[in-house]
Amino acid sequence: MKKKYSLLLFLLMSIVVFGQEIEGRVLSNGEPLPYANVYISETNKGTSTDDNGYFKIEKLENGVYEVVASYTGFIPKKKEIRLENNTASVEFNLKRASSLDEVVITGTLKPVSRMETPVPVEVYKPAFFKKNPTANVFEALQNVNGVRPQLNCNICNTGDIHINGLEGPYTMVLIDGMPIVSGLSTVYGLSGIPNSLIERLEVVKGPASSLYGSEAVGGLINVITKEALYAPKLTVDAFGTTWGELNVDLGYKALLGEKTSFLLGANYFNYDQPIDNNNDNFTDLTLQHRISLFQKWNFKRKENRVFSLAARYFYEDRWGGEMQWTPEFRGGDEIYGESIYTSRWEFFGNYQLPFKEKMLFSFSYTDHDQNSVYGDEPYLAQQRIAFGQLTWDKEVNNHNLLFGAALRYNFYDDNTTATASDGENKPDEAAIPGIFVQDEIKFSKKQTLLAGLRYDYDKRHGSILTPRLAYKWSVTDNDILRLNAGTGFRVVNLFTEDHAALTGARDVIIEEELDPEQSYNVNINYLKKIYTGNDNFIGLDLSVWYTYFTNMILPDYDTNPNQIIYDNLDGHAVSTGVSANADIVFYNGLKMTLGATLMDVSQTENGERTRQMLTERFSGTWGVSYKIMPWNLNLDYTGNLYGPMRLPLLGDLDPRKEYSPVWSVQNIQFTYDGFKGFEIYGGVKNLLNWTPNRGNPFIIARAHDPFDKNVEYDPEGNVMATEENPYALTFDPSYVYGPNQGIRGFLGVRYRLD
């Protein structure tokens, strides 16, 4: 009997001691904030509010807790709660903030408020991309001002990211701060990142080589994934289009004990219905079958030291070509098709060393295998990149110091001239060590100076120094002026920098031993926050930049229409321009994001100045959102606008336009969120039904003769104009500046379980 009473007493004490809970509500101006994050500081206990703003954190011991409530676009709040054998209730009333107040890490490798960092960083949250849902990050960037996804082929639809008009190889893409998407993988690495696991995207425009090394010449994009503590237990996002596209995105979190949590994400995309609306017998959109699996582990350690591991596997089978193509024609010269099998592994993580000093070791490894054929031309390539970096963050008086040492190992091999020498295959293999130092000096509450210097050594090119300087002046609490100057460099990576080099349509000619490119950049940035009555807000972001390049490597299409000639520019190149962003929030729920960019990107060689190919003079982006509260209905209208670009013609007789017209892609979406945990959304993409074949006799040159069987050449190897070939053309799909996919409807559903 005593044992029974003892057991009963123990159970009652357990309920009292370990059954306490904190409940409450998160509001703003009296309205509930659904899906706000609520957590207890320095623990892994947290939750999200429901549709009515309520939350509950259970299984707590007696004690004093600091409870934090946060929500995207609002200023977080903390409250101290004492539990003594009771249930505590608490209410948070959050005030609206702007994106300018968010914490960023990309500009300085350290968490800092966007208003405080000397380096301009743009932040884009998942809510921004939900306004125009896409199947991958590559397409999602189409509504970011000054950033343009550039398609490089009308057939296989591969592409890269242009920042401020600079070609894709000048953009570095990071995942959680690790440079795992670069070189060969830039074309495919932005596909298949599960959108449900993305916390935010940070964009830096301008050279960042002093922190990140080679490739961060034009700018960088950092894809930051969620931590399990703040993620919902389950998310499902699936949508389809009237073209037959299907995209499914899954996210799942689990807590394994008190110290381990993990996120599991999966993305599946399928499109298998050939469509030829422009009647050239080629697919307008590449057929794709893609799957991506992502897992991230977070480990709780003493004194909140960081330890996380993540891995991703990506597989894709895509093809485009003549409508009659089937896999049995792969690699043959009967029916033309471009077929690409891609298999890719990524592994990366962060580990804070167990010292009193703030020392962090970051590492990543990627293995990319590609098996492709372009007509009857095979392209087989492997790329492996290993990266390790140790940083030491140290504060001394008014100096915030950062020391770092990095080692990057690159391996690349393919079956093209890029890795061939004297008839032998010689894979490109290099280890590039680097060290850097950064000193952020606070002269006063209003003035900060950041100075940085990086040294890298590449056995192919020798020593490379990249300094930078950044100055921030807080004119007022709502006015920030920044001045940034620095250099960037990029080691030679010819492979995949131009799709036309792989199609067999043109021969690749390397004129000389190529030297690394160097850039010099100056950027002036001004931020302004304006608060008006009734909780209205306007955020302005204005930037002016000038970048000067030496040793620039650009493909020459013009000298010989059957060749791509690579060499260092005997002269210089310049990118200059101005961009402006405006974030506007009205008290009635109307939100607007507006952006515009004017730029001039040119190259000067032998005293002759020419505009860079495939670079617009101006561009604009916009997003307008409004919620009809009584109907639980959200309306989103998004779009972009691009000015004329110089296009790659095949000769003087080529009848296609030398410059693209002004063109725009616009979208509208309706979202209903009146069901608990569910959102139903749908709308129309490309409302204007714009496609690049408008005003052109054709897009793909000699689509009827993709193997050039009926092309005749003169004794010098030049294409002859004949009755069958009056424009003296060869087959070429590189005349491309926008998607061939026209208007289409879409319908999707999202589910969230907290």
Side-chain angles (χ1 to χ4, degrees):
M1 182 66 73
K2 284 185 176 181
K3 288 184 178 180
K4 291 182 178 179
Y5 283 123
S6 298
L7 180 59
L8 181 60
L9 181 61
F10 175 76
L11 291 174
L12 290 173
M13 291 180 63
S14 298
I15 293 172
V16 171
V17 177
F18 300 103
Q20 320 314 314
E21 60 188 31
I22 298 174
E23 64 180 18
R25 203 177 189 196
V26 181
L27 307 168
S28 176
N29 287 335
E31 295 292 332
L33 283 179
Y35 313 129
N37 293 319
V38 183
Y39 61 94
I40 298 176
S41 297
E42 301 184 359
T43 74
N44 66 349
K45 291 186 178 296
T47 186
S48 298
T49 58
D50 62 17
D51 290 339
N52 296 311
Y54 289 103
F55 70 90
K56 182 183 291 186
I57 304 176
E58 302 175 307
K59 298 179 181 179
L60 299 175
E61 303 177 28
N62 288 332
V64 178
Y65 298 93
E66 184 182 67
V67 183
V68 182
S70 66
Y71 189 82
T72 301
F74 290 77
I75 300 173
K77 272 194 174 182
K78 302 177 182 178
K79 289 191 177 182
E80 190 175 278
I81 304 298
R82 180 180 295 275
L83 286 179
E84 293 180 351
N85 303 334
N86 66 322
T87 295
S89 296
V90 60
E91 184 174 280
F92 293 93
N93 199 336
L94 303 187
K95 291 185 177 181
R96 187 176 297 278
S98 73
S99 62
L100 308 181
D101 298 308
E102 293 175 310
V103 173
V104 296
I105 63 172
T106 306
T108 60
L109 280 181
K110 294 185 289 187
V112 62
S113 166
R114 188 182 169 200
M115 289 293 288
E116 294 299 321
T117 175
V119 180
V121 181
E122 296 178 14
V123 180
Y124 298 93
K125 292 276 194 172
F128 177 86
F129 299 110
K130 282 184 178 180
K131 297 175 183 178
N132 179 33
T134 61
N136 54 62
V137 177
F138 177 81
E139 292 179 45
L141 292 169
Q142 64 185 277
N143 289 325
V144 176
N145 182 31
V147 178
R148 184 170 64 84
Q150 168 63 45
L151 290 177
N152 291 330
C153 174
N154 275 304
I155 298 177
C156 71
N157 294 159
T158 57
D160 52 33
I161 301 297
H162 289 200
I163 294 182
N164 287 344
L166 296 178
E167 295 283 350
Y170 301 97
T171 299
M172 173 175 278
V173 180
L174 314 170
I175 299 181
D176 285 346
M178 291 292 96
I180 62 176
V181 181
S182 61
L184 174 65
S185 61
T186 301
V187 181
Y188 311 97
L190 282 174
S191 299
I193 299 176
N195 291 335
S196 61
L197 299 185
I198 296 177
E199 172 66 22
R200 66 185 185 273
L201 265 68
E202 297 182 1
V203 179
V204 175
K205 299 172 182 176
S209 294
S210 62
L211 277 184
Y212 295 95
S214 179
E215 297 176 37
V217 178
L220 59 88
I221 298 169
N222 193 0
V223 181
I224 298 174
T225 59
K226 293 180 179 177
E227 293 188 22
L229 177 61
Y230 312 117
K233 291 180 181 178
L234 176 68
T235 58
V236 180
D237 189 346
F239 72 86
T241 74
T242 53
W243 274 50
E245 300 160 286
L246 173 65
N247 185 77
V248 180
D249 211 41
L250 301 175
Y252 172 74
K253 94 165 179 185
L255 303 177
L256 306 179
E258 290 289 323
K259 295 186 176 181
T260 306
S261 58
F262 79 90
L263 280 175
L264 177 65
N267 173 257
Y268 174 78
F269 179 79
N270 184 62
Y271 170 67
D272 59 3
Q273 299 181 20
I275 293 177
D276 178 25
N277 286 338
N278 60 12
N279 300 315
D280 60 2
N281 196 41
F282 273 77
T283 52
D284 292 343
L285 180 66
T286 300
L287 284 78
Q288 301 172 49
H289 183 259
R290 177 174 73 236
I291 186 167
S292 176
L293 300 174
F294 179 92
Q295 191 168 34
K296 182 177 182 180
W297 295 75
N298 290 95
F299 303 92
K300 184 182 177 185
R301 300 171 60 211
K302 292 181 180 180
E303 300 179 2
N304 291 319
R305 293 192 178 100
V306 175
F307 183 25
S308 67
L309 295 172
R312 183 171 77 119
Y313 175 70
F314 171 87
Y315 174 79
E316 184 181 67
D317 175 4
R318 69 162 61 197
W319 76 267
E322 294 186 89
M323 295 290 287
Q324 310 93 297
W325 191 91
T326 58
E328 66 188 61
F329 295 106
R330 193 176 195 267
D333 62 355
E334 297 179 54
I335 304 296
Y336 188 91
E338 298 184 1
S339 171
I340 304 171
Y341 302 146
T342 303
S343 180
R344 175 177 173 81
W345 287 94
E346 301 168 354
F347 178 75
F348 53 99
N350 294 285
Y351 180 78
Q352 187 175 349
L353 275 59
F355 303 138
K356 185 177 180 180
E357 300 290 340
K358 296 179 183 178
M359 303 184 73
L360 183 69
F361 179 64
S362 305
F363 52 90
S364 67
Y365 175 78
T366 64
D367 191 296
H368 187 105
D369 186 277
Q370 186 170 321
N371 182 322
S372 314
V373 292
Y374 299 88
D376 57 357
E377 293 285 337
Y379 174 63
L380 311 175
Q382 286 186 321
Q383 182 179 29
R384 292 190 287 271
I385 299 176
F387 179 84
Q389 179 173 273
L390 179 65
T391 58
W392 176 26
D393 188 353
K394 179 72 173 177
E395 290 191 26
V396 180
N397 298 324
N398 64 333
H399 294 263
N400 197 331
L401 297 164
L402 181 71
F403 302 93
L407 178 64
R408 176 167 175 160
Y409 169 77
N410 290 344
F411 173 87
Y412 176 77
D413 189 23
D414 68 15
N415 63 322
T416 74
T417 55
T419 58
S421 179
D422 299 326
E424 296 184 14
N425 184 51
K426 293 184 178 180
D428 183 20
E429 189 172 11
I432 307 175
I435 57 174
F436 58 89
V437 61
Q438 176 180 278
D439 185 8
E440 186 173 339
I441 310 166
K442 280 193 172 292
F443 294 115
S444 65
K445 186 178 180 180
K446 292 190 172 184
Q447 297 190 66
T448 303
L449 179 69
L450 183 145
L453 180 66
R454 183 181 178 109
Y455 169 80
D456 291 271
Y457 180 78
D458 188 327
K459 66 179 181 180
R460 300 167 297 182
H461 308 302
S463 299
I464 303 173
L465 280 173
T466 48
R468 76 163 171 172
L469 196 67
Y471 171 73
K472 181 185 76 73
W473 177 27
S474 300
V475 183
T476 70
D477 290 342
N478 296 322
D479 296 86
I480 305 293
L481 184 65
R482 296 183 176 95
L483 173 64
N484 279 248
T487 65
F489 78 95
R490 188 173 72 96
V491 297
V492 179
N493 279 322
L494 272 188
F495 50 88
T496 74
E497 293 197 355
D498 201 295
H499 170 271
L502 309 176
T503 62
R506 297 182 184 229
D507 295 327
V508 177
I509 307 297
I510 302 175
E511 292 275 295
E512 59 187 355
E513 188 73 22
L514 298 174
D515 295 323
E517 299 177 326
Q518 190 84 22
S519 71
Y520 306 87
N521 175 268
V522 175
N523 180 295
I524 300 174
N525 175 258
Y526 174 66
L527 288 181
K528 173 71 174 178
K529 295 196 295 184
I530 304 172
Y531 295 94
T532 65
N534 298 323
D535 202 26
N536 295 332
F537 169 79
I538 301 174
L540 300 176
D541 185 336
L542 178 67
S543 290
V544 180
W545 78 89
Y546 176 86
T547 307
Y548 182 94
F549 290 89
T550 61
N551 287 333
M552 197 174 200
I553 302 169
L554 289 174
D556 177 5
Y557 294 89
D558 300 326
T559 301
N560 187 324
N562 296 308
Q563 296 178 342
I564 302 176
I565 302 172
Y566 289 99
D567 62 353
N568 285 114
L569 185 66
D570 185 14
H572 65 272
V574 171
S575 170
T576 184
V578 57
S579 68
N581 291 306
D583 295 316
I584 306 171
V585 180
F586 296 99
Y587 76 97
N588 61 1
L590 179 65
K591 302 177 183 178
M592 303 173 64
T593 57
L594 308 172
T597 299
L598 298 173
M599 59 187 171
D600 184 14
V601 184
S602 65
Q603 60 203 59
T604 301
E605 189 169 23
N606 299 323
E608 183 177 349
R609 182 180 183 274
T610 57
R611 277 184 61 185
Q612 181 173 296
M613 196 82 72
L614 294 172
T615 301
E616 64 276 17
R617 288 276 195 184
F618 61 87
S619 64
T621 58
W622 64 85
V624 180
S625 302
Y626 181 71
K627 183 169 186 178
I628 306 175
M629 297 294 293
W631 299 354
N632 295 302
L633 186 66
N634 295 275
L635 286 74
D636 294 293
Y637 169 53
T638 58
N640 51 51
L641 177 75
Y642 298 108
M645 311 174 197
R646 191 166 73 93
L647 303 175
L649 298 180
L650 296 183
D652 294 336
L653 298 178
D654 194 329
R656 294 173 294 181
K657 294 182 177 180
E658 183 181 2
Y659 288 90
S660 66
V662 176
W663 58 282
S664 175
V665 174
Q666 301 175 27
N667 320 284
I668 192 166
Q669 176 184 250
F670 303 89
T671 304
Y672 178 78
D673 58 8
F675 302 116
K676 181 176 175 59
F678 281 92
E679 290 182 355
I680 300 173
Y681 61 92
V684 180
K685 290 179 177 288
N686 198 354
L687 282 164
L688 304 180
N689 196 26
W690 177 89
T691 52
N693 61 303
R694 290 187 180 182
N696 272 309
F698 51 82
I699 295 295
I700 300 175
R702 290 190 64 80
H704 65 283
D705 184 21
F707 296 100
D708 290 335
K709 294 181 178 180
N710 296 315
V711 175
E712 297 182 21
Y713 302 88
D714 64 20
E716 285 75 35
N718 300 313
V719 179
M720 296 174 57
T722 63
E723 184 177 352
E724 194 275 337
N725 185 14
Y727 304 123
L729 304 178
T730 57
F731 172 71
D732 189 270
S734 62
Y735 183 94
V736 58
Y737 56 92
N740 285 314
Q741 196 175 15
I743 189 171
R744 59 205 181 277
F746 66 96
L747 182 66
V749 61
R750 298 188 185 99
Y751 173 69
R752 174 183 172 124
L753 175 65
D754 290 297

